[in-house]
Amino acid sequence: MVKQGKLQHLLPGPLFWVDTADSMPCIGTGGVAVWQLTAFGKMFHSGLPHKSINPLELCMEAVKEMQERFYRDFPAHAEEARYGFATPSTMKPTQFSLPSGSVNQIPGECTICGDCRITPFYDVQAVMDKLVEYVADINANITDLPTRGPCSKYVLPDEDLRGRLELTFFESFSRGVACNLESQELTFFESISRGVACNLESQGFKAMEVVFSKVYGRFQPFAITGSLPCIRELQEEGFDVQTMGFGNLATYHAVNEFALLSDFKKGFQVMTGLIDHFTMQ
């Protein structure tokens, strides 16, 4: 629609995006980089662990080392408190997989997948580059990784074998969004995965403050590291995007996810209140 010019009439004013939750404006979201780390070892009988390179141990220790480096390189940013982010940038595993086999067999490889959720004050591409750097360094110095017990090892010199790590990224990743608390212009960060900031002094934001305060008796914007990639793209085109939603954040992606009709009723009052606000101007 943007490419076809069908939203051009919204450029001078606010564009309200109803896609968040908890009945308050969401002024910041996170970027995402989804990664996959595969460890290659040597398959062998578990009764002879000294003849194996255990890829499970290698992969777990490597992820631990990567996380430690990540949190040193991307600590909590001072701006996160200003925006009310619930969490800083994070890196964590979310899935673990390996080829099927017997319980008494050390497998030849295993894979851990996870993601990085990046607040918009850090560059997602820079994070990805750092992860690649971490893995290259670990591979080059694999004997420096901690082992687990007297028979655990990542190199078999007599067989000229070394454990190895391979990092890949899923094809798509998204970029964080934050609302600029001071600037009256859009602010862009410096790479393809830069964060995006929009003006909280805009008519749209001020209208939300008036209407939400009237409907709920309070106005408490928040920020999370969930991602809204479409919001970023609209902001890049120059739209004053303001986000809100009336679902239940506590049930996001939960079994039997639900929302309350009573929340939607108040949400409808917010929508009509915003229309009235701009109609009366």
Side-chain angles (χ1 to χ4, degrees):
M1 293 177 69
V2 172
K3 289 180 179 179
Q4 294 175 1
K6 294 183 178 180
L7 299 181
Q8 289 298 109
H9 62 290
L10 294 176
L11 275 172
L15 189 162
F16 294 109
W17 185 276
V18 185
D19 191 25
T20 57
D22 283 1
S23 302
M24 283 291 153
C26 179
I27 61 173
T29 66
V32 184
V34 182
W35 52 267
Q36 174 178 290
L37 184 71
T38 301
F40 298 93
K42 180 191 174 185
M43 181 189 297
F44 216 81
H45 193 286
S46 65
L48 301 167
H50 61 295
K51 293 184 174 293
S52 170
I53 296 175
N54 191 323
L56 285 78
E57 295 178 347
L58 173 56
C59 210
M60 288 188 285
E61 289 293 343
V63 169
K64 179 184 176 183
E65 176 65 21
M66 291 171 69
Q67 287 180 292
E68 290 178 352
R69 297 188 189 192
F70 173 89
Y71 289 112
R72 286 197 300 268
D73 290 336
F74 304 99
H77 195 284
E79 289 294 284
E80 291 160 8
R82 294 182 64 216
Y83 286 92
F85 270 92
T87 68
S89 299
T90 59
M91 175 196 172
K92 66 278 182 190
T94 58
Q95 293 182 334
F96 196 104
S97 63
L98 66 159
S100 60
S102 171
V103 130
N104 67 351
Q105 181 185 67
I106 297 170
E109 66 180 75
C110 80
T111 297
I112 295 178
C113 296
D115 69 13
C116 296
R117 296 282 176 157
I118 312 300
T119 60
F121 316 111
Y122 288 116
D123 181 270
V124 176
Q125 186 62 55
V127 171
M128 296 168 69
D129 291 344
K130 276 291 184 182
L131 296 189
V132 171
E133 180 184 307
Y134 300 159
V135 172
D137 183 63
I138 293 170
N139 271 329
N141 301 281
I142 205 159
T143 55
D144 291 342
L145 272 183
T147 53
R148 302 187 174 193
C151 298
S152 177
K153 57 178 68 67
Y154 308 128
V155 176
L156 295 173
D158 293 343
E159 301 180 47
D160 196 26
L161 289 178
R162 291 174 61 90
R164 177 171 58 87
L165 300 164
E166 181 179 281
L167 179 71
T168 56
F169 293 99
F170 285 49
E171 286 187 3
S172 63
F173 61 92
S174 63
R175 296 156 287 189
V177 179
C179 297
N180 189 335
L181 301 181
E182 296 177 353
S183 173
Q184 296 187 12
E185 298 178 353
L186 290 174
T187 301
F188 299 99
F189 295 79
E190 286 300 324
S191 81
I192 189 172
S193 51
R194 58 192 182 273
V196 178
C198 66
N199 179 15
L200 289 195
E201 297 300 321
S202 73
Q203 290 183 350
F205 186 82
K206 290 179 178 179
M208 287 197 303
E209 184 173 9
V210 171
V211 174
F212 274 88
S213 297
K214 182 177 180 180
V215 174
Y216 293 97
R218 60 190 175 88
F219 183 66
Q220 296 176 315
F222 66 97
I224 57 175
T225 54
S227 61
L228 288 172
C230 290
I231 300 296
R232 168 192 157 74
E233 293 170 6
L234 286 168
Q235 287 183 323
E236 283 189 322
E237 294 294 331
F239 292 92
D240 172 31
V241 182
Q242 304 293 339
T243 66
M244 68 189 81
F246 307 97
N248 187 345
L249 187 63
T251 64
Y252 266 19
H253 303 300
V255 176
N256 297 323
E257 181 175 350
F258 67 90
L260 300 176
L261 290 177
S262 57
D263 289 338
F264 290 156
K265 181 178 179 180
K266 283 197 170 184
F268 189 76
Q269 293 174 12
V270 169
M271 295 291 100
T272 57
L274 287 169
I275 293 172
D276 290 341
H277 179 89
F278 286 102
T279 300
M280 293 185 294
Q281 285 188 342

